[in-house]
Every structure is written in structure tokens, then in C-alpha cells.
Amino acid sequence: MQFSNRASAVDDVVRQIRGLIRERGLGVGDVLPSEVELAAMFDSSRNTVREAFRTLKAYGVAESRQKVGAVLTDQHQNAMRDLFSFAMEISVDAFRDIQGYRRLTEMNLFDLLADRLADQALAEMEAANAAILTAEDAERASEFDFEFHRLLVDAAGNRTLSETYGMLKPVIQRLMLAGKSQRLTLEAVVAEHGDILQALRDRDRIAFVYHMDRHLSAGLEFISE
């Protein structure tokens, strides 16, 4: 029973720290108050606060840094990205699964984009698209390709969607790498992106869905059975 009470006290402090983070608008890189300060703030013992910190560190929410203290991190997202990248083999089935996810997200963004899309976001997507042709190698080209689509997703203004899309970056970018060593492939990607951008400028839903679907299917020829 004593152990249960202790665990409950730690959970309470974890919840209070999460509340503090929200209230103060703290983000990645910000420093949390010290153990002594939090113990006084939450009327708790330093041992309980220390255990709460360990919980936050285990979830990748915070890390200890010398001479600084507990700092908020995004290691949870990084760990998820690494897991996806390690576990996912790029096969035909994997391609269809990932592109299927992207169809459910990117192809259904039109209404949000039509209402929110600003000239600056369009300009940023155009710049990322143009950079594909001048990239020094295939890997860098795939990074610009991903950047184009990330900007598209971010422009919809849904933070959860953006974070989920970001966690899949290693796998999506590995798919995008296929065929990028060929100049004709790069030119085709840039042209397809251009069609998507034009559909957005014209606020043409049918053209947007058509060009996005065509674009998401194009890389399958480079994936081995």
C-alpha cells in the first residue's frame, strides 16, 4: 500500500509539471524549475519530484543537462522516428501502406488549404520544389521533396497532423529517395509539384486531388517486388 501511495504521489507531481508546462507555455529547450522549487511549489518531497523527473525523462519529455537542470526535449518524437525508420522495409506493400496514409491526409487537405493557404506558404513550397533540381545528390533532393509536402501539411494548420506526419519522416523520405538519382525523375517530381501548386492557386479541388493522387502513385515503379 505504501508503494501504491508513493506511485500515486509521483503521478500527481507529473500531472502538476505538465500543467505548469502548459500554463507557462514552455517548449523544447526551456528549463524547468529545480527539484527544490518544484517541491515547494507542489508541497511535495524532493524524492517524489526526482521520481517525477525520471518519469518525464523515460518518456523523452525532459533531459538533465549539467549546470542547467531539467530541459524540455522532443526525444519522444525522435525515438518514434528512429523506430519507424528501423522497422520499416521499403517494399511494394510498405509503399502502398505509406502512400495510402498520405492519401488519407494530403489528398483531403484541400478545404483547409483553400481557406488558410497564404502567399508566403505558396512561395515557400515553390522554393522547396525548385531546390530539388539543384540538390547536390539524391538524398538532398529527397529532403527538399519531403520539405515541400511538410509545408503543404503544415499550411492546413492542424498541429496533431503535422506532428504525426513529422514522425513518419524517415520512412516517407526513404520512399522519396527512390529514383532520385535520375534527372528525368527529378524533373517529373518538380512538374507534379507544380501541378499541385497551380491547383491550389486556382482553388480547383478536382485538379488538386487528381494531381496529388497521380503524384503519390508515381514512385511505385522504383520499388522492387
Side-chain angles (χ1 to χ4, degrees):
M1 183 63 70
Q2 184 178 1
F3 177 79
S4 178
N5 289 340
R6 180 183 175 189
S8 177
V10 171
D11 289 342
D12 285 342
V13 172
V14 169
R15 281 193 292 271
Q16 288 172 304
I17 293 174
R18 289 172 59 192
L20 181 70
I21 291 170
R22 286 194 299 270
E23 288 168 10
R24 296 189 178 182
L26 302 179
V28 173
D30 289 333
V31 181
L32 289 169
S34 67
E35 288 181 7
V36 173
E37 291 171 321
L38 289 175
M41 194 180 302
F42 301 144
D43 192 22
S44 182
S45 70
R46 286 189 62 181
N47 284 338
T48 300
V49 172
R50 190 173 296 119
E51 289 295 327
F53 270 144
R54 285 176 183 162
T55 299
L56 295 175
K57 291 171 189 174
Y59 280 101
V61 175
E63 66 180 16
S64 295
R65 295 183 185 171
Q66 282 188 331
K67 300 180 181 180
V68 176
V71 178
L72 293 178
T73 69
D74 62 352
Q75 293 306 307
H76 175 67
Q77 287 191 12
N78 291 342
M80 290 296 291
R81 291 190 189 106
D82 292 341
L83 176 62
F84 279 124
S85 182
F86 176 77
M88 197 76 173
E89 294 182 4
I90 303 305
S91 62
V92 171
D93 287 343
F95 180 93
R96 287 173 176 154
D97 283 347
I98 295 301
Q99 301 303 72
Y101 162 81
R102 295 178 65 196
R103 279 187 173 84
L104 290 171
T105 53
E106 295 180 64
M107 285 176 61
N108 287 297
L109 292 178
F110 182 82
D111 288 338
L112 289 172
L113 292 172
D115 291 338
R116 295 170 174 265
L117 194 59
D119 290 340
Q120 181 180 349
L122 277 169
E124 290 174 352
M125 282 187 274
E126 286 174 343
N129 192 36
I132 293 173
L133 286 177
T134 59
E136 57 268 30
D137 54 37
E139 185 171 346
R140 189 68 175 137
S142 69
E143 290 176 6
F144 287 124
D145 192 354
F146 181 85
E147 179 68 5
F148 173 88
H149 288 272
R150 184 193 64 78
L151 288 166
L152 184 75
V153 171
D154 287 352
N158 187 304
R159 189 175 66 179
T160 299
L161 178 59
S162 292
E163 290 177 354
T164 305
Y165 197 87
M167 284 193 291
L168 285 170
K169 178 179 179 179
V171 179
I172 293 175
Q173 197 167 308
R174 282 173 67 188
L175 293 184
M176 290 174 169
L177 186 59
K180 286 291 193 298
S181 59
Q182 301 177 27
R183 177 72 183 186
L184 287 176
T185 302
L186 296 180
E187 291 174 352
V189 168
V190 170
E192 290 161 9
H193 286 171
D195 289 336
I196 293 167
L197 287 172
Q198 189 58 51
L200 286 172
R201 289 191 200 93
D202 296 339
R203 298 300 193 266
D204 188 335
R205 179 202 299 272
I206 294 175
F208 175 81
V209 172
Y210 170 77
H211 289 300
M212 183 65 76
D213 179 66
R214 187 164 162 264
H215 177 56
L216 293 177
S217 299
L220 183 58
E221 65 181 285
F222 301 106
I223 307 299
S224 300
E225 290 284 354

